[in-house]
Short mmCIF file of all heavy atoms in Angstrom, two decimals:
data_model
loop_
_atom_site.label_atom_id
_atom_site.label_comp_id
_atom_site.label_asym_id
_atom_site.label_seq_id
_atom_site.Cartn_x
_atom_site.Cartn_y
_atom_site.Cartn_z
N HIS B 975 -17.25 17.40 16.62
CA HIS B 975 -15.92 16.84 16.33
C HIS B 975 -15.89 15.34 16.61
O HIS B 975 -15.32 14.56 15.84
CB HIS B 975 -14.86 17.52 17.21
CG HIS B 975 -14.53 18.92 16.82
ND1 HIS B 975 -13.62 19.69 17.49
CD2 HIS B 975 -15.01 19.71 15.83
CE1 HIS B 975 -13.54 20.89 16.94
NE2 HIS B 975 -14.38 20.92 15.92
N GLU B 976 -16.51 14.95 17.72
CA GLU B 976 -16.49 13.52 18.08
C GLU B 976 -17.26 12.69 17.05
O GLU B 976 -16.91 11.54 16.80
CB GLU B 976 -17.07 13.30 19.48
CG GLU B 976 -16.33 14.02 20.61
CD GLU B 976 -14.88 13.57 20.79
OE1 GLU B 976 -14.49 12.56 20.18
OE2 GLU B 976 -14.15 14.24 21.53
N ARG B 977 -18.30 13.28 16.46
CA ARG B 977 -19.00 12.57 15.37
C ARG B 977 -18.05 12.33 14.21
O ARG B 977 -18.09 11.27 13.57
CB ARG B 977 -20.21 13.39 14.90
CG ARG B 977 -21.41 13.24 15.80
CD ARG B 977 -22.67 13.92 15.24
NE ARG B 977 -23.57 14.19 16.34
CZ ARG B 977 -23.67 15.36 16.97
NH1 ARG B 977 -22.96 16.39 16.56
NH2 ARG B 977 -24.48 15.51 18.00
N GLU B 978 -17.21 13.32 13.93
CA GLU B 978 -16.22 13.14 12.86
C GLU B 978 -15.20 12.08 13.24
O GLU B 978 -14.77 11.28 12.38
CB GLU B 978 -15.53 14.47 12.55
CG GLU B 978 -16.45 15.52 11.94
CD GLU B 978 -15.68 16.74 11.47
OE1 GLU B 978 -14.77 16.58 10.64
OE2 GLU B 978 -15.98 17.85 11.95
N HIS B 979 -14.78 12.08 14.49
CA HIS B 979 -13.85 11.03 14.94
C HIS B 979 -14.49 9.65 14.80
O HIS B 979 -13.85 8.71 14.33
CB HIS B 979 -13.48 11.25 16.42
CG HIS B 979 -12.66 12.48 16.67
ND1 HIS B 979 -12.32 12.91 17.94
CD2 HIS B 979 -12.12 13.38 15.83
CE1 HIS B 979 -11.60 14.01 17.86
NE2 HIS B 979 -11.47 14.33 16.58
N ALA B 980 -15.75 9.55 15.21
CA ALA B 980 -16.44 8.27 15.11
C ALA B 980 -16.55 7.84 13.65
O ALA B 980 -16.36 6.65 13.32
CB ALA B 980 -17.82 8.35 15.76
N ALA B 981 -16.83 8.80 12.77
CA ALA B 981 -16.93 8.47 11.34
C ALA B 981 -15.59 7.96 10.81
O ALA B 981 -15.53 7.01 10.02
CB ALA B 981 -17.38 9.69 10.55
N ALA B 982 -14.50 8.58 11.25
CA ALA B 982 -13.18 8.15 10.81
C ALA B 982 -12.88 6.74 11.32
O ALA B 982 -12.36 5.89 10.58
CB ALA B 982 -12.11 9.13 11.30
N MET B 983 -13.22 6.47 12.58
CA MET B 983 -12.96 5.14 13.13
C MET B 983 -13.86 4.09 12.46
O MET B 983 -13.45 2.96 12.23
CB MET B 983 -13.21 5.13 14.65
CG MET B 983 -12.25 6.01 15.45
SD MET B 983 -10.51 5.62 15.25
CE MET B 983 -10.42 4.05 16.07
N GLU B 984 -15.09 4.48 12.16
CA GLU B 984 -16.00 3.54 11.49
C GLU B 984 -15.49 3.21 10.09
O GLU B 984 -15.58 2.07 9.64
CB GLU B 984 -17.41 4.12 11.43
CG GLU B 984 -18.44 3.13 10.92
CD GLU B 984 -19.84 3.43 11.40
OE1 GLU B 984 -20.12 4.60 11.75
OE2 GLU B 984 -20.67 2.50 11.43
N SER B 985 -14.95 4.24 9.42
CA SER B 985 -14.39 4.00 8.10
C SER B 985 -13.20 3.04 8.19
O SER B 985 -13.04 2.14 7.35
CB SER B 985 -13.95 5.33 7.48
OG SER B 985 -13.38 5.13 6.22
N ALA B 986 -12.38 3.23 9.22
CA ALA B 986 -11.24 2.32 9.42
C ALA B 986 -11.73 0.90 9.67
O ALA B 986 -11.16 -0.06 9.15
CB ALA B 986 -10.39 2.81 10.59
N LEU B 987 -12.79 0.79 10.44
CA LEU B 987 -13.35 -0.53 10.75
C LEU B 987 -13.90 -1.19 9.48
O LEU B 987 -13.67 -2.38 9.23
CB LEU B 987 -14.44 -0.39 11.80
CG LEU B 987 -14.96 -1.66 12.46
CD1 LEU B 987 -13.84 -2.42 13.15
CD2 LEU B 987 -16.06 -1.33 13.47
N GLN B 988 -14.59 -0.40 8.69
CA GLN B 988 -15.13 -0.94 7.43
C GLN B 988 -14.00 -1.36 6.51
O GLN B 988 -14.12 -2.31 5.74
CB GLN B 988 -16.03 0.09 6.77
CG GLN B 988 -17.36 0.26 7.50
CD GLN B 988 -18.12 1.50 7.06
OE1 GLN B 988 -17.61 2.33 6.30
NE2 GLN B 988 -19.34 1.64 7.53
N GLY B 989 -12.88 -0.65 6.60
CA GLY B 989 -11.70 -1.04 5.82
C GLY B 989 -11.17 -2.40 6.21
O GLY B 989 -10.52 -3.07 5.42
N LEU B 990 -11.45 -2.79 7.41
CA LEU B 990 -11.08 -4.14 7.87
C LEU B 990 -12.18 -5.15 7.55
O LEU B 990 -12.13 -6.29 8.02
CB LEU B 990 -10.81 -4.12 9.39
CG LEU B 990 -9.64 -3.24 9.84
CD1 LEU B 990 -9.62 -3.10 11.37
CD2 LEU B 990 -8.32 -3.81 9.37
N THR B 991 -13.16 -4.68 6.77
CA THR B 991 -14.30 -5.49 6.28
C THR B 991 -15.18 -6.01 7.41
O THR B 991 -15.78 -7.08 7.29
CB THR B 991 -13.86 -6.68 5.38
OG1 THR B 991 -13.19 -7.63 6.17
CG2 THR B 991 -12.97 -6.21 4.26
N VAL B 992 -15.25 -5.29 8.47
CA VAL B 992 -16.20 -5.63 9.53
C VAL B 992 -16.99 -4.37 9.87
O VAL B 992 -16.64 -3.27 9.45
CB VAL B 992 -15.50 -6.16 10.80
CG1 VAL B 992 -14.86 -7.49 10.54
CG2 VAL B 992 -14.48 -5.15 11.31
N SER B 993 -18.05 -4.53 10.61
CA SER B 993 -18.86 -3.38 10.97
C SER B 993 -18.99 -3.30 12.50
O SER B 993 -18.61 -4.23 13.21
CB SER B 993 -20.25 -3.49 10.33
OG SER B 993 -20.85 -4.71 10.73
N ALA B 994 -19.53 -2.18 12.94
CA ALA B 994 -19.71 -2.00 14.37
C ALA B 994 -20.73 -3.01 14.89
O ALA B 994 -21.70 -3.33 14.20
CB ALA B 994 -20.16 -0.58 14.66
N ARG B 995 -20.50 -3.50 16.12
CA ARG B 995 -21.43 -4.49 16.67
C ARG B 995 -22.60 -3.82 17.37
O ARG B 995 -23.72 -4.21 17.25
CB ARG B 995 -20.69 -5.39 17.65
CG ARG B 995 -19.89 -6.48 16.95
CD ARG B 995 -19.33 -7.45 17.97
NE ARG B 995 -18.67 -8.55 17.31
CZ ARG B 995 -17.61 -9.18 17.79
NH1 ARG B 995 -17.09 -8.80 18.94
NH2 ARG B 995 -17.06 -10.18 17.15
N ASN B 996 -22.27 -2.82 18.16
CA ASN B 996 -23.33 -2.12 18.90
C ASN B 996 -22.88 -0.69 19.15
O ASN B 996 -21.73 -0.33 18.93
CB ASN B 996 -23.64 -2.83 20.23
CG ASN B 996 -22.39 -3.00 21.08
OD1 ASN B 996 -21.37 -2.36 20.83
ND2 ASN B 996 -22.47 -3.86 22.06
N ARG B 997 -23.81 0.11 19.60
CA ARG B 997 -23.50 1.51 19.87
C ARG B 997 -23.80 1.79 21.34
O ARG B 997 -24.70 1.19 21.92
CB ARG B 997 -24.39 2.42 19.01
CG ARG B 997 -24.22 2.22 17.52
CD ARG B 997 -25.22 3.05 16.75
NE ARG B 997 -24.98 4.47 16.87
CZ ARG B 997 -24.22 5.16 16.02
NH1 ARG B 997 -23.67 4.56 15.00
NH2 ARG B 997 -24.02 6.45 16.19
N PRO B 998 -23.04 2.71 21.93
CA PRO B 998 -23.34 3.07 23.31
C PRO B 998 -24.68 3.80 23.41
O PRO B 998 -25.12 4.43 22.44
CB PRO B 998 -22.18 3.99 23.69
CG PRO B 998 -21.67 4.52 22.39
CD PRO B 998 -21.92 3.45 21.37
N VAL B 999 -25.28 3.70 24.57
CA VAL B 999 -26.54 4.42 24.84
C VAL B 999 -26.37 5.20 26.14
O VAL B 999 -25.30 5.17 26.76
CB VAL B 999 -27.72 3.44 24.93
CG1 VAL B 999 -27.98 2.78 23.59
CG2 VAL B 999 -27.46 2.38 26.01
N GLY B 1000 -27.42 5.87 26.54
CA GLY B 1000 -27.34 6.76 27.69
C GLY B 1000 -26.79 6.12 28.94
O GLY B 1000 -25.98 6.72 29.67
N VAL B 1001 -27.19 4.88 29.19
CA VAL B 1001 -26.73 4.22 30.42
C VAL B 1001 -25.21 4.00 30.38
O VAL B 1001 -24.56 3.93 31.44
CB VAL B 1001 -27.50 2.89 30.63
CG1 VAL B 1001 -27.10 1.85 29.58
CG2 VAL B 1001 -27.28 2.37 32.04
N ASP B 1002 -24.66 3.90 29.20
CA ASP B 1002 -23.20 3.74 29.10
C ASP B 1002 -22.48 5.02 29.50
O ASP B 1002 -21.37 4.97 30.06
CB ASP B 1002 -22.82 3.35 27.66
CG ASP B 1002 -23.36 1.98 27.29
OD1 ASP B 1002 -23.16 1.03 28.07
OD2 ASP B 1002 -23.99 1.86 26.22
N VAL B 1003 -23.10 6.16 29.21
CA VAL B 1003 -22.53 7.43 29.69
C VAL B 1003 -22.53 7.43 31.22
O VAL B 1003 -21.53 7.79 31.86
CB VAL B 1003 -23.33 8.63 29.14
CG1 VAL B 1003 -22.80 9.94 29.73
CG2 VAL B 1003 -23.27 8.68 27.62
#
Side-chain angles (χ1 to χ4, degrees):
Chain B
H975 287 179
E976 300 297 350
R977 280 187 203 97
E978 293 188 58
H979 293 174
M983 295 302 291
E984 187 155 23
S985 179
L987 192 58
Q988 288 166 352
L990 297 170
T991 70
V992 293
S993 57
R995 280 188 175 147
N996 55 16
R997 300 174 68 91
V999 294
V1001 69
D1002 295 311
V1003 176

